[in-house]
Amino acid sequence: MEIATQLFVSETTVKTHVGKILAKLHLRDRVQAVVFAYENGIVTPR
């Protein structure tokens, strides 16, 4: 997994953090997280 490699952590650690973020934001999957990020100005289209 690219994220784990770039952050020098295990894939399990990344999955744990992603799961916690999704739970705190009441999102069901990564797709909803991407939509949330765009709608809240966290990321912008190129």
Side-chain angles (χ1 to χ4, degrees), residues 2-3 5-6 9-13 15 18-19 22-27 29 31 34 37-39 41-44:
E2 271 185 62
I3 296 169
T5 303
Q6 289 187 9
V9 298
S10 72
E11 288 186 29
T12 303
T13 300
K15 289 178 184 180
V18 168
L22 294 176
K24 286 181 180 184
L25 296 175
H26 306 287
L27 304 172
D29 55 30
V31 173
V34 171
Y38 276 105
E39 288 178 345
I42 297 168
V43 295
T44 55

Side-chain angles (χ1 to χ4, degrees), residues 1 6 9 13-14 16-17 19-22 27-28 30-33 36 39-41 45:
M1 179 179 271
Q6 289 187 9
V9 298
T13 300
V14 173
T16 298
H17 287 299
K20 288 182 179 186
I21 290 167
L22 294 176
L27 304 172
R28 71 178 165 261
R30 290 178 181 212
V31 173
Q32 277 195 331
F36 178 90
E39 288 178 345
N40 289 280

